[in-house]
Amino acid sequence: MSVWLPSAPCTPRGCVEPTASAAAVPLAVLRLAAVGLLVLAGIALLPLGRRIPAGAVRRWCRWIVRAAGVRVRIAGTAVPTGGLLLVANHISWLDVPLLAAVRPARMLAKAEVRRWPVAGALAARGGVLFIDRDRLRALPGTVTALAGILRGGAAVAAFPEGSTWCGLARGHFRRAVFQAALDARVPVQPVRISYRSVRGTPATAPAFVGDDTLLASLWRVASARGVVAEVEVRAPIPPGSHLDRRALARAAQPEAVAGHEGGHPG
């Protein structure tokens, strides 16, 4: 088990409700085509880098999620400027554009993402910070590098659970990334992400867990109907309000799901 990326017990077969049907195929194809066009537009604009207004980046990220067939509801706003550590629970690949829709940030990701077809190259060119989960000796250096980026006034987005969960259950925030915020003396802003049906019940179709493949997850999301992504941006935790990373991680941790904190619904 890695300090950065512990394993979650969630699996596609045990936790994710199937959505595919013959009637959903044409709509899913159209949705994936729309997502692909938006991604290609983003790749074309990458050379412009920071010259693209943050508001345009936020709208583009929101359009990606909407193009996949998922409605977006965002409550609250992020600290708009200066160094900031954004932390959120992790359920889906959709979490990445959702966090960027809150505030564009350097994303923290596992090194395996770099090897993903198309997405890996796009992530690398987009400034994603990769962590090698098999090299624990590199952890202090990674924290130092993150602190330097935060001191420079940039936002960094991380998923401190270290693994995706199905949304019905979730893990605890790991502490290491919070040390960078302490060292840089920047605020930490927690974000709570959840996926629901239009009826308000939890939706598991967006979950990207276990041995799921990115292609399978993309198809399942595009085939689903009536999924809503709810993003709650909570008040920032000011620097100096917690003396150590354990207390800071605990303060940023979303409240427990009744009866299932850090566990699995079975």
Side-chain angles (χ1 to χ4, degrees), residues 47-169:
L48 296 177
R50 296 184 180 180
R51 286 176 287 177
I52 302 175
V57 175
R58 289 197 300 269
R59 286 191 295 274
W60 176 73
C61 291
R62 191 164 181 154
W63 291 342
I64 286 179
V65 179
R66 191 66 191 93
V70 178
R71 299 180 187 177
V72 181
R73 296 174 183 165
I74 299 178
T77 57
V79 176
T81 59
L84 176 69
L85 179 63
L86 277 170
V87 293
N89 58 303
H90 203 10
I91 299 171
S92 172
W93 54 269
L94 288 166
D95 302 343
V96 175
L98 286 172
L99 267 189
V102 170
R103 178 179 168 180
R106 298 281 302 272
M107 191 67 59
L108 210 57
K110 59 185 180 180
E112 290 93 324
V113 171
R114 192 195 292 266
R115 297 192 292 270
W116 286 2
V118 182
L122 178 60
R125 291 181 61 189
V128 169
L129 305 166
F130 295 104
I131 300 169
D132 190 342
R133 59 181 177 179
D134 295 324
R135 295 182 60 219
L136 296 184
R137 291 182 181 180
L139 181 57
T142 301
V143 171
T144 299
L146 290 177
I149 292 169
L150 291 167
R151 284 193 200 97
V156 172
F159 301 105
E161 286 172 314
S163 182
T164 48
W165 293 68
C166 66
L168 301 178

Side-chain angles (χ1 to χ4, degrees), residues 14-63:
C15 304
V16 180
E17 206 172 319
T19 60
S21 68
V25 170
L27 180 59
V29 171
L30 287 174
R31 286 174 172 175
L32 291 177
V35 171
L37 288 173
L38 285 168
V39 170
L40 288 174
I43 294 172
L45 293 173
L46 270 178
L48 296 177
R50 296 184 180 180
R51 286 176 287 177
I52 302 175
V57 175
R58 289 197 300 269
R59 286 191 295 274
W60 176 73
C61 291
R62 191 164 181 154
W63 291 342

